[in-house]
Every structure is written in structure tokens, then in C-alpha cells.
Amino acid sequence: MHLPQPKFKNQHGHDAFRILMIMTRCISRLFTTSSATSFSSRLELVLKDANFTDFTKERHSYLIRTHQHTDSYSVSDIIKCYALSPSSITKAQVAFYQIDQPTLPIWNFMIRGFSQSSRPDEAINMFNKMRGQGYHGNNLTFIFTLKASARVSDIITGKKVHVFVIKLGFESYLYVGNSLVYMYASCGALDFARNVFDEMSDRDLVSWNSLICGYSQCKKYKEVLGLFDTMCAANLKADAVTMVKVLLACGHFGDWGRTDSLVKYIDDNCVEIDVYLGNTLIDMYGRRGLVEMAREVFDKMVQRNIVTWNSMIMGYSKAGNLQDGRRLFDEMPRRDKISWTSIIVGYCQAKLFSDAIRTFQEMMAAKVEPDEITIASVLSACAHMGMHNVGKAVHEYICQYGVEIDIYVGNALIDMYCKCGLFEKALEVFHDMKEKDSVSWTSVISGIAVNGGSQHALNLFNQMLTEGIKPTHGSFVGVLLACAHSGLVDEGLKYFESMERDHGLVPEMKHYGCIVDLLGRCGNLEKAYEFIQKMPVVPDVVVWRILLGACRVHGNIHIAEIASSKVLKLDPKNGANYVLSSSSFATAGRWNDATNMRELIDRDDVQKKPPGWSSLEVNSVTSSEPQEKGFCWLENG
């Protein structure tokens, strides 16, 4: 049936009809959307709907034209629509200040809107203004103000609200009690939060989760587990929020047995695995090296975010499964710096340094800005590969784009330059670092020592002690190396004796090896052998090999025979030991013994060639054995 269009006598009537039609379409959508969607979710969709936004604006314009925009009751719904949409909270504020006498519901709309916006502090300001206008507030006022206080950690306002709650008799309201627990917990006032929780006559899952989240936020993991046990004893079923915090607590203690029981709890109680719980499970399995179980969770997740993908890649990297990790990385719909860094760190941990550098180049080509962890990892790869040109290019990138040279990046630069033989550049980085730790000092001292700057290394060590930096075992390795390379026997022995006496550092095998090297280099082989015999720990093959090498240089066949016997006994399958022993005999002119030692290498159980590789960098291209396809550094460095 065709209905005639209504005729309006004036523009106001036409505006009213237009607004009515827009509102009808929006309301129809609200109630005809699938029942599987909650009403609140549908309301949120309607508020974001362009038609509903147009309706709100047109309705507001109509009220302005008819001079009704200053009337609280007329403009109340307009402010509500504006306030509950974060993108239009400013419009709500403008409309609010045009009202002659805002009612309590309007104050609540504004407080609620600001509490969930990017300006929660304005909600507190609104609350204070409302109190100044003589309104006490109601349960909704306090709930939204407490939420805002929690977001900005304003416990002073939170406590004031708590006083008002008690005075006005709202302490028995469940949602008010939950808001108080949440506020105190978010502000780290766990004693207050627990007192409110214990005094609540009625509690729901939100009550328990608010307190559990507070304990977790303050790293009170024992309390998290205790509260979860109490919750289970009360026959209250946990949800995904609960399980995330409890799993984190178990992970902190490394209680994997209980963690597995929690996974069973999730299955038995059909706890919905949302994206946050799924990410937590993937991370937990990844840390344990159980990548297959992590992948099962990953594959079952209906919704994933970038954290999901990154956690799975980290799990593969930790397990050393870089093939599957790279495959997953290549399948990612979107990558961020964490994605790239995760795979680069994985390559470094697996000693696939060439792949780490190549992936970093891909990252640069993709215009993804690296962070300090990425830079430190790539520099470490350059150090191991001896690729000083690539390392230098990374350093130039750091300076050009203002990447912070924190302790980790600074230490990585020092290590890279030292291992590439450029200890002057390492010194420049060291002196430019605003903050240094013991690793910084150790790296530069050791690096300079092995690159021929022994006296400079010793001066730096003494400067470190003067500045009150506590030396480490690594620091003394560098000092002893410096003394060995400079022939400073007496000084080296003094430093060695001072380790435990002055600094409480018990010498380790590497320090004993340094002393044997120190004495051996100077030809004092008898004293070196005597030192080994008096060691409080059983010398390892490296210590004996150092002594054998010194005997070969100085032609002491008597001690060489003893050292050779020890080396071959401790490491009989290493062909290099036979070569060194044979060379020692040849140096002393005992050719028959040298020949016999060489013949022993032909035994099947002796490794003919020691494991190792070599690389040569030419024009920033690394060529290695076996040959691989070369790659070039980015043109922009």
C-alpha cells in the first residue's frame, strides 16, 4: 500500500521527521542483530554506526536551532551518545558546558566517558566539579570515578571516593566493591584491596580477578596461587583472565608440574582460550622448549594478534628450530620489530651468524626500525664473523638515526671492534659511553690485551679499580692475558694472587691456564709445570695443551713428554693433539718419535681435522668454506 509522504508546515517538522527515520533504522539494527551478540556489544556497534552518529549530530543541531540545547532533559541523550564514543568525548564536553543545570545522570555520562577515554584525569576533575555543585553522586558515579583513579594511579582520590561510598551506604553494592578492589589493587595498595575484598558480603568472579590481577601486577605470585586455591575451594569457576595470571605465577616459580595441572583445569572446565590466554600458553610452552605443544595451541586459536606470532617464533628460536621459525616468520600477515628481532636473535643463538646478518639486511630493506636488542645481536654476529665493514655500517646507522647506545649496544660495539682487531675504535666507543658496567670494562680490557695493547689494558684495569668498579673473573682473564703478552711475569702473579685475597674471586680453570701461558711464554717451563702440580683443581686438557705448546717453542722435551701424555690421555680423539706432540718431538730432533706420533693420527677413532671454519670479507661480502652465495650490505649503510 502506498502511503502519501507527510507534509510539514515548517523546517522544524522536516528535521524532526528526518531524525525520526535515522533513529528508527539504528534502533532496528540494535534489536535485529544476531542474538549471539551481547546487547552491550550491539549497542557499541550502533554507537559507532555512521547513521547513528549522523542522527546524534542532527538531533543536537535541531536542539540548538530550537534553543533546547541548554535544557538538561532535552540534551541528556545527546551527551550520553557523545560521551560513550571515545572519538566524540570533546563534543560531549562542549555540549555539557552549554547546559544551565546538569543533572546527576549527565554528570555520570561525562565521568564515565572520560574514565574510558584517553583522558581519565578529566573524569576525576568532573567528579570534583560535581561535588562542588552540591551533588553527592550515586553508585554509578563512584564506579566510574574509581575506574579513572585506577587508570591514573590516583589513590588519594580513590580513598576520598571510598569515604563517600561508606557515608552514603553504597559499600554493600557488588559493583562498587569490585571497583574499590580494582582501584586499590591497580594502585599497589594490596592491603587495602584485600580488606575491601574480605569485607564484601557478596563476591563474583570480577571480585576475585581484581585482587588476583593486583597481586600479579605487584609480583606477589605466591599470593596469586593462594588466592586461586581459595577461589577453587569456593567452587567458583575461573575464566581466561584468572588463568593468565595464575599461569604467569607458576612460570615465575618454574613449577611446571602445577602448570600442567592448570592446563588440565582449562580443558576440564572448558575455559575459553582467548587471545591473551592463548599467547600465555604459547609463551609458557616456548620457554620450556615444548614447541610442538605451543604450535598446537597456536593452530587452535581462532583469533591471533602479532604477539601470538612473535611468541611462537620465539619458541622456535629457543628450541633451535630455525627452519620452522623462519617458515612461520615468512607466513606472518604483519611483522613488527619484535618479529624481526626474534628471528635474528634465534639465528645468533644457533650460531647462524650469516643468516642473522642477512635477515637484518632484509629488515632494513623493509624499513623496520631496529631496537637496541636487534642492534646488539647483529653486532655480535659481525664480531663472530669478523665482518668489521658490516659492523661499522651498523655503527654509522646508530649514529645517523639516533639509536640509543645503551650498555648492551655499547658492549656489543666494543666486542665487535676488538674481535675485528680495531681496538682504537673500541676505545672510542668505550670512552663515549655515558654508562658502563663490569662487562664494558672487561670487554675493552680483554680486547685491547689480545690486540697488543697490554700496557693500555693494565692501565684501564687500574682505572676501573680506582673508580670503584668491582672486577669480575672476566676482567682478570684480560689482565692476565695482557701480562702474558707483555712478559710481565711478576705483575701477572701479583694480579692472580689478588683475585681471592683482595676481591673474593676464586680462580677458575681459565685463570690457571693464563698463568701457565704467562710462565710458558717466558720459557720458565719448570715453574709452569710446578704451578700445575700445585693447582687445587685437576687441570683440564687446555692447561696441559698450553704447557705442551710452550715446550715446543722452547724445546723442553722432558716436560713435553709429560704434557703430551696428559693431553693424549684426556683428549685422545683430537688429531690436533697428535700434531702438537709430533711437532714438539721434531723441535727436539727426535724424528722417530715425531713420525710415530703422526702415524697415530691414522687411527679410525682420531678426528683428522679439527672442527672449524674460516671466512674472508671482501667488499662487505663474506665468503666461507663451504662456499655460499655472497650478499651485500645495504647501500645506505
Side-chain angles (χ1 to χ4, degrees):
M1 178 178 178
H2 178 71
L3 295 176
Q5 292 293 327
K7 297 179 181 180
F8 299 102
K9 296 181 179 179
N10 52 46
Q11 182 64 31
H12 289 170
H14 183 272
D15 288 345
F17 179 73
R18 176 179 169 80
I19 292 169
L20 177 63
M21 294 305 294
I22 294 174
M23 184 173 67
T24 301
R25 287 195 297 270
C26 293
I27 298 300
S28 174
R29 180 186 175 192
L30 178 62
F31 288 99
T32 57
T33 306
S34 170
S35 60
T37 308
S38 68
F39 184 85
S40 60
S41 299
R42 280 179 274 159
L43 177 59
E44 184 178 350
L45 290 173
V46 169
L47 288 173
K48 293 179 179 179
D49 185 87
N51 288 330
F52 195 77
T53 303
D54 291 341
F55 155 68
T56 304
K57 291 179 180 178
E58 292 199 26
R59 173 63 179 166
H60 191 197
S61 298
Y62 171 76
L63 292 176
I64 293 173
R65 287 195 300 272
T66 57
H67 306 290
Q68 301 178 63
H69 62 289
T70 61
D71 178 65
S72 296
Y73 296 99
S74 300
V75 83
S76 178
D77 287 340
I78 300 300
I79 290 180
K80 178 180 180 180
C81 294
Y82 281 149
L84 298 187
S85 176
S87 62
S88 58
I89 186 66
T90 303
K91 293 185 177 69
Q93 192 174 18
V94 172
F96 174 82
Y97 284 120
Q98 293 175 341
I99 301 174
D100 292 332
Q101 291 183 330
T103 61
L104 179 58
I106 292 179
W107 284 103
N108 283 346
F109 293 150
M110 294 302 300
I111 294 171
R112 178 182 179 183
F114 279 122
S115 72
Q116 60 193 25
S117 74
S118 60
R119 298 158 58 193
D121 53 312
E122 282 297 326
I124 297 173
N125 292 336
M126 277 286 174
F127 173 76
N128 292 329
K129 290 176 182 178
M130 183 203 74
R131 296 284 302 175
Q133 292 293 320
Y135 287 101
H136 296 298
N138 59 15
N139 57 319
L140 296 178
T141 316
F142 301 137
I143 289 171
F144 303 138
T145 307
L146 288 168
K147 179 179 180 180
S149 300
R151 289 188 63 192
V152 297
S153 297
D154 186 354
I155 194 172
I156 295 177
T157 298
K159 287 182 176 180
K160 288 180 181 177
V161 173
H162 193 177
V163 172
F164 297 142
V165 165
I166 295 172
K167 283 184 177 181
L168 297 174
F170 289 111
E171 68 268 29
S172 61
Y173 283 50
L174 174 61
Y175 295 155
V176 174
N178 288 347
S179 299
L180 282 167
V181 173
Y182 174 73
M183 182 276 297
Y184 281 126
S186 297
C187 294
L190 298 178
D191 290 340
F192 285 98
R194 187 60 191 253
N195 288 338
V196 174
F197 178 86
D198 290 338
E199 292 174 1
M200 291 176 66
S201 56
D202 185 25
R203 307 187 192 104
D204 63 1
L205 182 58
V206 175
S207 317
W208 292 87
N209 280 350
S210 297
L211 191 56
I212 286 174
C213 288
Y215 281 132
S216 179
Q217 176 183 306
C218 295
K219 304 187 186 318
K220 302 285 186 179
Y221 299 115
K222 183 178 180 181
E223 286 79 358
V224 169
L225 297 177
L227 199 59
F228 175 72
D229 290 338
T230 306
M231 176 178 158
C232 291
N235 294 319
L236 189 64
K237 178 183 171 182
D239 65 359
V241 175
T242 325
M243 300 314 299
V244 166
K245 302 304 179 183
V246 178
L247 283 168
L248 289 174
C250 288
H252 172 77
F253 292 116
D255 190 348
W256 305 128
R258 182 160 188 178
T259 300
D260 293 336
S261 70
L262 291 174
V263 174
K264 185 176 185 301
Y265 177 96
I266 292 171
D267 293 336
D268 293 346
N269 291 275
C270 300
V271 177
E272 180 186 359
I273 300 180
D274 63 9
V275 66
Y276 302 106
L277 180 55
N279 291 348
T280 303
L281 288 168
I282 291 172
D283 180 68
M284 178 269 295
Y285 283 131
R287 290 175 184 274
R288 299 168 65 182
L290 304 174
V291 287
E292 294 82 5
M293 301 183 75
R295 188 58 191 255
E296 285 183 19
V297 176
F298 179 89
D299 290 337
K300 290 178 182 178
M301 290 176 66
V302 177
Q303 180 185 2
R304 305 184 187 115
N305 58 18
I306 197 166
V307 176
T308 316
W309 292 82
N310 289 344
S311 298
M312 193 66 239
I313 290 172
M314 289 179 190
Y316 278 130
S317 297
K318 183 177 178 63
N321 187 351
L322 273 303
Q323 185 176 3
D324 287 339
R326 181 66 198 220
R327 187 180 297 114
L328 190 68
F329 175 83
D330 291 335
E331 293 172 0
M332 290 184 72
R334 182 174 68 88
R335 307 184 188 104
D336 61 5
K337 68 176 65 178
I338 298 177
S339 317
W340 289 93
T341 300
S342 298
I343 198 72
I344 289 171
V345 170
Y347 281 136
C348 289
Q349 291 174 341
K351 302 188 185 306
L352 300 173
F353 303 114
S354 179
D355 291 319
I357 295 172
R358 184 181 292 110
T359 303
F360 179 71
Q361 292 172 315
E362 295 171 3
M363 180 181 182
M364 293 291 93
K367 307 297 182 184
V368 179
E369 182 182 342
D371 60 13
E372 291 78 10
I373 298 175
T374 325
I375 295 294
S377 300
V378 172
L379 289 171
S380 176
C382 292
H384 283 88
M385 295 285 290
M387 298 178 66
H388 75 274
N389 279 352
V390 178
K392 182 181 177 182
V394 174
H395 192 182
E396 290 173 352
Y397 175 91
I398 292 171
C399 298
Q400 181 179 354
Y401 292 98
V403 178
E404 181 186 0
I405 301 184
D406 60 10
I407 288 180
Y408 302 104
V409 173
N411 292 347
L413 281 169
I414 292 170
D415 182 59
M416 183 273 296
Y417 280 127
C418 285
K419 286 183 177 176
C420 292
L422 304 172
F423 76 86
E424 296 90 351
K425 293 289 295 181
L427 271 174
E428 286 181 19
V429 174
F430 177 79
H431 289 307
D432 288 342
M433 288 175 65
K434 296 178 181 178
E435 185 180 358
K436 307 177 183 73
D437 62 3
S438 59
V439 176
S440 314
W441 289 91
T442 298
S443 298
V444 74
I445 290 169
S446 301
I448 292 175
V450 298
N451 280 285
S454 300
Q455 191 55 53
H456 202 152
L458 295 177
N459 292 339
L460 278 173
F461 180 77
N462 291 327
Q463 181 185 343
M464 180 181 76
L465 296 181
T466 302
E467 293 187 13
I469 306 296
K470 183 177 177 60
T472 64
H473 284 91
S475 308
F476 275 100
V477 170
V479 169
L480 295 176
L481 283 173
C483 292
H485 282 268
S486 300
L488 303 173
V489 178
D490 292 337
E491 288 83 348
L493 292 173
K494 288 179 182 178
Y495 281 120
F496 178 80
E497 292 169 359
S498 72
M499 283 185 65
E500 188 167 7
R501 183 190 65 216
D502 299 336
H503 305 287
L505 298 173
V506 178
E508 298 174 346
M509 192 65 70
K510 53 192 174 185
H511 301 104
Y512 290 110
C514 287
I515 294 299
V516 173
D517 183 45
L518 171 69
L519 296 170
R521 282 175 181 265
C522 296
N524 202 341
L525 300 175
E526 290 78 8
K527 191 170 183 179
Y529 178 53
E530 181 182 347
F531 177 82
I532 292 176
Q533 289 180 307
K534 293 181 178 179
M535 283 174 55
V537 293
V538 178
D540 65 4
V541 67
V542 175
V543 173
W544 287 111
R545 191 179 294 132
I546 291 171
L547 180 63
L548 180 58
C551 290
R552 180 184 63 82
V553 172
H554 295 285
N556 190 322
I557 191 61
H558 172 66
I559 298 180
E561 287 182 312
I562 299 173
S564 175
S565 174
K566 294 288 186 179
V567 166
L568 298 180
K569 181 179 180 181
L570 292 171
D571 191 11
K573 296 183 179 181
N574 189 341
N577 293 332
Y578 295 90
V579 173
L580 182 58
S581 297
S582 175
S583 180
S584 299
F585 288 126
T587 300
R590 291 173 52 171
W591 301 108
N592 289 336
D593 291 331
T595 301
N596 292 336
M597 194 63 65
R598 286 276 181 178
E599 291 175 352
L600 291 175
I601 300 178
D602 294 332
R603 289 175 9 210
D604 293 337
D605 60 342
V606 176
Q607 189 176 15
K608 304 303 185 294
K609 292 182 180 180
W613 55 269
S614 62
S615 66
L616 177 65
E617 183 185 359
V618 180
N619 295 328
S620 299
V621 177
T622 294
S623 176
S624 60
E625 294 294 333
Q627 288 288 332
E628 295 180 356
K629 184 178 179 181
F631 58 91
C632 298
W633 180 242
L634 298 176
E635 293 180 1
N636 63 2

